[in-house]
Amino acid sequence: MDISKLITLNQPCATFPQALYRILGEGHTWIEWNKEGTKLRYNDPERLMHELQALGFKAQDAASLSKNFNDYGFKRLSDARKSRYDPWRSNWTIFSHQQFLRLDQDGANSIQRRRARRPRSHVKKASPMSDDSIW
């Protein structure tokens, strides 16, 4: 085994993409790269959340998992969330990111969380008809 890979595996994960890259490198059957190494897929979101929690992330449910993928600019290509209960785990959720590639760990390390959008001002716009004009 390559010593540089051992060092990389023992370093803490600072970002969600780094944690995903580490989990994918462990050779699990429930999360994997496609043949080209340009997409990832998983069929066990509970297991992914558990693995992320073990690496220090606070993923608690499917919504927080989706938020992390979205915050880092991953594109959802298929969605197993809407399918019925699947005891054989045959439904896969697939994501891609142009910088998240199997043979480019530096690309994965360079992915930054998107900045939060500025909150919209909550100025209530006048409706076309006011309550007074209804009566």
Side-chain angles (χ1 to χ4, degrees), residues 13-111:
C13 295
T15 66
F16 177 73
Q18 290 173 346
L20 272 180
Y21 197 89
R22 180 181 291 180
I23 293 167
L24 281 158
E26 293 173 353
H28 300 288
T29 57
W30 53 270
I31 185 169
E32 61 190 14
W33 293 101
N34 67 341
K35 289 179 183 179
E36 296 82 19
T38 58
K39 301 171 188 162
L40 72 101
R41 71 179 190 166
Y42 65 90
N43 66 356
D44 193 345
E46 292 83 17
R47 177 88 184 265
L48 180 55
M49 285 184 283
H50 175 73
E51 294 287 332
L52 289 168
Q53 289 168 352
L55 293 172
F57 289 85
K58 297 179 181 179
Q60 296 178 359
D61 57 18
S64 64
L65 189 59
S66 290
K67 183 179 183 321
N68 272 300
F69 276 109
N70 189 39
D71 285 351
Y72 283 94
F74 284 82
K75 305 289 184 225
R76 184 185 302 271
L77 303 176
S78 74
D79 194 355
R81 294 176 303 171
K82 296 177 183 174
S83 61
R84 295 185 178 263
Y85 175 69
D86 182 17
W88 296 281
R89 304 236 183 255
S90 58
N91 294 319
W92 294 84
T93 301
I94 303 170
F95 282 94
S96 71
H97 189 290
Q98 68 184 44
Q99 291 175 276
F100 195 78
L101 307 170
R102 179 178 45 218
L103 299 176
D104 185 13
Q105 185 172 2
D106 290 336
N109 291 342
S110 69
I111 298 172

